[in-house]
Amino acid sequence: TDQIRECLTWTPLLRPDWACGPDKNLDDVIEVSAVCLFDDSGRVLTVRKRGTSGWMLVGGKPEPGENARQCAIREVAEELGVGLDAARLRDLGTFHSIAVNEGVPLTAHVFISDERVSPSVHAELAALRWVNPADPGDGQAPLNTDLVFPLLVSAGECRGAEDRVGPPATIERRSACHH
């Protein structure tokens, strides 16, 4: 944990060229809470919201009066239909990156859960995907590929995932309408 926190103190705010156009206000920072959930193979759960192409950790913006941990638990329940035990959430840290879909600065309070879950797609989600953090494939959020996944791998949080090969396991939203 001390090694992780030491790493985070040197994490710069990333501002790629595509995020610095005239239509982007870099003073507007999106603040979110997110959770790293693992399967038995050490893969990390990522989600994609409807109408977007980027994959991110499950989570979202806090409601008024919510702290980061409360927000993370609520978002997991809303988006995946899964209840997490607050006592089993560990603080990975606070990261600064660029939001994958909005292209604006992002502050993410990221947690790790050791609970094994059976998620399903709810709320604004279109799909979920279990990925190997050592080789997550294309379309992942900069938060994941530049900061969180390398940290998880170097800290040994995803034991077994490094040895797995093959495409990510994706579950798409099914239409509620049957014709």
Side-chain angles (χ1 to χ4, degrees):
T1 303
D2 291 337
Q3 177 186 13
I4 291 172
R5 292 194 195 292
E6 184 178 321
C7 256
L8 296 178
T9 61
W10 295 102
T11 304
L13 175 63
L14 306 174
R15 291 189 177 186
D17 293 341
W18 54 263
C20 298
D23 61 332
K24 306 289 186 202
N25 181 356
L26 294 179
D27 294 328
D28 293 334
V29 176
I30 296 174
E31 184 171 353
V32 299
S33 288
V35 180
C36 297
L37 297 165
F38 301 93
D39 68 6
D40 290 334
S41 298
R43 296 178 301 178
V44 178
L45 183 67
T46 60
V47 298
R48 185 175 54 78
K49 297 190 179 193
R50 278 185 264 162
T52 67
S53 60
W55 292 91
M56 62 192 76
L57 297 172
V58 63
K61 299 173 187 167
E63 292 184 353
E66 263 185 338
N67 65 37
R69 183 177 302 268
Q70 291 166 333
C71 175
I73 291 168
R74 178 187 50 78
E75 287 286 342
V76 168
E78 289 176 2
E79 294 181 354
L80 303 177
V82 171
L84 294 180
D85 180 352
R88 293 179 67 181
L89 278 184
R90 290 184 291 137
D91 184 9
L92 182 62
T94 297
F95 299 84
H96 303 285
S97 187
I98 296 294
V100 64
N101 294 311
E102 296 87 348
V104 299
L106 172 76
T107 296
H109 307 284
V110 181
F111 299 90
I112 296 175
S113 175
D114 64 358
E115 295 180 75
R116 295 300 179 254
V117 298
S118 297
S120 56
V121 176
H122 292 275
E124 69 269 18
L125 296 186
L128 57 87
R129 176 182 283 180
W130 293 99
V131 300
N132 176 345
D135 184 18
D138 295 332
Q140 289 290 324
L143 172 69
N144 296 354
T145 56
D146 298 342
L147 301 167
V148 174
F149 289 174
L151 189 55
L152 292 174
V153 171
S154 70
E157 291 289 344
C158 7
R159 297 178 240 341
E162 300 86 0
D163 301 328
R164 292 185 55 84
V165 293
T170 304
I171 300 172
E172 299 284 339
R173 175 184 282 278
R174 291 189 180 173
S175 173
C177 301
H178 301 288
H179 299 287

